[in-house]
Amino acid sequence: MGAGQQVAVFGAYGHTGRFVVAELVARGFVPVRVGRDAGRLTASADRSGPEARVATVDDPDSLDRALAGTAAVINCAGPFASTAAPVIEAALRAGIPYLDVAAELEANLDTFAHFADRAREASAVIVPAMAFFGGLGDLLTTAAMGDWTRADEAHIAYGLSSWHPTAGTRLSGAVSRQRRGERRMRFTGGRWEYRTDAPPVRDWHFPAPVGPRPVVAEFTMADVVTVPSHLAVPDVTTYMTVEAVRDIAAPDTPAPSAADDSGRSDQTFLIDAVVRSGGAERRAVARGRDIYAVTAPLVVEALDRVLTGRTRATGVTAAGAIFDAPDFLRALSPHITLELLP
């Protein structure tokens, strides 16, 4: 795989970007490290390969030079409200696929809204939110749907042992809060609505060994953008364990720290995706470690499938729409453990 193809990674020196660069190297690709800070690019050169290109989102020519000769670009640089559109524009000019790891609701909604027509007309491939939040939940929900053409509701519950946010996560969250103010978002009845009340706290019965845990319901993540973009499900809700919400809300929660030589933290996760139609219920469950590290095999597997033509769609598309969801999820072993339940 990879066959020596060059792949631009915008934001290559960030926390997630470093995992993505390492995964590209492991799979035979040649990463081209792209970023706004020449000093940080230089400092990471010994870990990330020989080539670095400086580019900024307010300089289209620099982005064009950064993407020259590459087969695709992966955008790992948040806040994506600022970076997604300029990098997508550069990818369209270069005629190469674009993938990102955005978890920001508004940025992902903007990508679908602003680029759908142009990407479809150009037969371009743009895959936003190809990450732990957005991509993985979408693939699990799609796999759980199976042969159903529609469902009444989808629920995606995140059981995180902890959540030590990166600086990028905190910055992206701040940008999202600035855009929506004190309001929160939910998707119900086939449309988005804004709420000003506090999200409810409920118990979610996770599969063993996690078991029943209190969760913040309507803790809306990128999956709520991606799932209804291609599945006929009018109500999509995501949930987060209360402990993880407290971690990310606290200003003094430290960034993730490495627990092994790969740089992964000791954080564990369980995602429980449930779809319901009438009286029937289907479920897909994924278990793994480190939500930031697992994003790398997710987005690089997606990249490999795009570049080798193992896709089902073009345009701006969610993971479950463009890929064979069960096959993709099985390909992520040993990074995740998958269970599909009728």
Side-chain angles (χ1 to χ4, degrees), residues 179-270:
R179 290 186 65 174
R180 78 173 81 111
E182 297 300 318
R183 303 178 299 172
R184 60 185 181 87
M185 298 171 65
R186 60 178 296 211
F187 187 81
T188 183
R191 62 182 180 86
W192 287 96
E193 68 176 29
Y194 290 89
R195 310 261 321 213
T196 57
D197 59 333
V201 175
R202 300 173 182 164
D203 283 335
W204 185 272
H205 289 259
F206 289 95
V210 176
R213 297 280 294 278
V215 296
V216 176
E218 300 173 16
F219 191 85
T220 304
M221 303 303 295
D223 321 69
V224 187
V225 176
T226 59
V227 168
S229 75
H230 68 103
L231 296 177
V233 185
D235 289 276
V236 183
T237 308
T238 48
Y239 307 76
M240 185 66 66
T241 44
V242 165
E243 297 88 347
V245 174
R246 289 173 181 159
D247 280 346
I248 197 169
D252 57 350
T253 301
S257 58
D260 61 24
D261 292 341
S262 73
R264 292 189 308 167
S265 72
D266 59 6
Q267 176 201 50
T268 59
F269 64 80
L270 186 155

Side-chain angles (χ1 to χ4, degrees), residues 1 13 24 27 62-63 70 137 145 166 181 192 205 214 217 242 267 273 304 308 314 337 342:
M1 296 185 206
Y13 47 69
L24 286 168
R27 295 189 59 161
S62 72
L63 287 172
T70 63
M145 285 277 290
T166 65
W192 287 96
H205 289 259
V242 165
Q267 176 201 50
D304 188 82
T308 55
T314 57
T337 301

Side-chain angles (χ1 to χ4, degrees), residues 88 91-92 96-100 108 111-129 229-230 306 311-319 321-323:
I88 291 171
L92 289 171
I96 61 174
Y98 167 95
L99 303 91
D100 70 34
N108 287 311
T111 296
F112 278 100
H114 297 162
F115 292 99
D117 291 342
R118 288 176 57 194
R120 184 172 54 251
E121 290 167 3
S123 296
V125 172
I126 298 173
V127 188
S229 75
H230 68 103
V306 169
T311 56
R312 296 177 165 181
T314 57
V316 180
T317 178
I322 191 171
F323 305 120

